[in-house]
Amino acid sequence: MPSLSFQCLSGPVIALVTGLMLAAPAGAEQLVVSNYGVSANGMPFAVAMAKGYFKDEGANVTGIVTSDGGGTTLRNMLAGDVPYGEVNPSVVVAAIQKGADIKIVSDNVSTVAEFVWAVKPDSPIKTVKDLKGKKIAYTNPRSTSQALATLLLQSGGLKTEDAELVKTGGFGEGVAALDTDLVDIAPIPEPLWSKFKDKYRPVAKATDILPPLENVIGVVSESQAKAKGDFIRAVIRARRKAVDFMIQHPDEAGDIVAKAYNLDPAVGRAAVTNLTTSRTQGMPYWGPGTIHMAGLQRMIDLQKSVGAISGDADVSKMIDTSFLPDDIKGIQ
């Protein structure tokens, strides 16, 4: 990771990427994954590419297109006729409410275990209760980090208005704001946490204070689902194999992630080990694809609280489990 600043793709770059996707050779496909190369959610795709799992399962995946997440990821997927994307559930639900022809086909990350809220070592903040009157960093309005800041405060018996939420524009920028005392505490997710954990002191970890919350999901457009169903099934199987490999061989997987994410190998190994061993009320971070309705509904309700979703959403009608392997087809 060359710097603390994670810049989103510019308009011309997005246009170029989309053009490249459209110009791909026949039979070759790309995937769209939110924050790939930056955030932990997409790490299994790096492992699947490196280990040849997509090819083994019959999917000719030539690369992974990233974005800064949210609506940009979904727009890239739809504009490029990409068969499969991984994105935040709130964006998907909001798009479906507006008439987008997309379906949720897999549950990829079922918790927010990558989140740690940390302070400088000499900070007087020892517990969440000490956050009253303090400044808490979050990335952008209607983001997951903003919503989680509210839950963080609630875990300590506080209300949102008991603290000041400060927009930093990114997690790296949040760390910089913490360093310069613009905020008192910042969320530091993996793999940033494994990189900087010796520099800061954790006050709260998501695994300890929050329930399972649907983090990212696999989605497809209905037109692509009809045309490329076998490819979509192969992608889900390959990703599942990658998750299994990460659990069984965290060091090798960490080295693969480090190369794909431009991290020090020790940081890659630490991040993979941390997240493959984490459990949130028994729920792993990376899942095989099984859809967990309770966690999905929790995240939707949470995103409503920050205005990312409005109105009622019948999530059950947005799900298609037909692309999942038979042993995990049922909704849990």
Side-chain angles (χ1 to χ4, degrees), residues 31-89:
L31 308 178
V32 174
V33 177
S34 290
N35 294 304
Y36 179 76
V38 174
S39 297
N41 59 279
M43 289 179 179
F45 291 99
V47 174
M49 286 288 288
K51 299 297 292 184
Y53 291 153
F54 291 121
K55 182 179 179 181
D56 292 347
E57 293 298 329
N60 185 11
V61 176
T62 58
I64 298 169
V65 178
T66 187
S67 74
D68 64 332
T72 303
T73 304
L74 201 56
R75 286 190 294 273
N76 285 351
M77 187 186 86
L78 297 175
D81 285 333
V82 178
Y84 181 94
E86 181 178 274
V87 68
N88 182 285

Side-chain angles (χ1 to χ4, degrees), residues 9-275:
L9 296 178
S10 66
V13 173
I14 291 173
L16 174 61
V17 168
T18 300
L20 291 173
M21 290 190 289
L22 291 171
E29 303 286 356
Q30 298 208 40
L31 308 178
V32 174
V33 177
S34 290
N35 294 304
Y36 179 76
V38 174
S39 297
N41 59 279
M43 289 179 179
F45 291 99
V47 174
M49 286 288 288
K51 299 297 292 184
Y53 291 153
F54 291 121
K55 182 179 179 181
D56 292 347
E57 293 298 329
N60 185 11
V61 176
T62 58
I64 298 169
V65 178
T66 187
S67 74
D68 64 332
T72 303
T73 304
L74 201 56
R75 286 190 294 273
N76 285 351
M77 187 186 86
L78 297 175
D81 285 333
V82 178
Y84 181 94
E86 181 178 274
V87 68
N88 182 285
S90 66
V91 174
V92 175
V93 172
I96 293 174
Q97 287 178 322
K98 294 178 181 178
D101 67 334
I102 52 180
K103 289 287 187 181
I104 299 167
V105 296
S106 62
D107 175 345
N108 294 0
V109 179
S110 303
T111 79
V112 290
E114 77 270 37
F115 277 88
V116 174
W117 286 267
V119 297
K120 294 168 78 170
D122 60 352
S123 170
I125 299 170
K126 305 298 182 184
T127 70
V128 175
K129 292 181 179 180
D130 298 329
L131 293 177
K132 189 169 184 177
K134 304 299 184 181
K135 295 180 179 180
I136 305 173
Y138 74 96
T139 57
N140 291 295
R142 297 183 297 279
S143 66
T144 298
S145 63
Q146 182 189 14
L148 294 182
T150 295
L151 291 186
L152 170 70
L153 289 166
Q154 290 176 356
S155 73
L158 301 175
K159 299 177 181 179
T160 306
E161 54 268 29
D162 288 332
E164 180 183 351
L165 303 189
V166 178
K167 180 180 93 64
T168 62
F171 292 116
E173 290 85 345
V175 173
L178 183 62
D179 278 340
T180 54
D181 296 320
L182 294 176
V183 297
D184 299 298
I185 188 169
I188 309 180
E190 290 288 9
L192 274 180
W193 178 243
S194 286
K195 183 175 182 179
F196 294 120
K197 62 184 178 182
D198 293 334
K199 185 177 179 181
Y200 303 103
R201 174 167 51 81
V203 171
K205 297 180 179 181
T207 49
D208 297 330
I209 65 170
L210 301 179
L213 290 157
E214 192 61 43
N215 201 325
V216 292
I217 51 179
V219 297
V220 302
S221 69
E222 294 190 42
S223 59
Q224 290 290 305
K226 293 175 182 177
K228 298 172 182 175
D230 288 343
F231 175 88
I232 295 165
R233 292 182 182 90
V235 168
I236 292 172
R237 292 195 304 269
R239 182 191 170 280
R240 184 183 190 181
K241 287 176 68 173
V243 171
D244 288 341
F245 179 85
M246 295 168 81
I247 294 169
Q248 296 168 15
H249 307 281
D251 284 349
E252 184 178 348
D255 290 342
I256 292 171
V257 166
K259 184 176 181 180
Y261 278 53
N262 194 25
L263 299 169
D264 184 279
V267 173
R269 289 185 174 199
V272 170
T273 298
N274 181 26
L275 292 174

Side-chain angles (χ1 to χ4, degrees), residues 1-8 35 37-38 68 169-173 192:
M1 190 175 300
S3 72
L4 288 177
S5 180
F6 303 141
Q7 301 298 325
C8 61
N35 294 304
V38 174
D68 64 332
F171 292 116
E173 290 85 345
L192 274 180

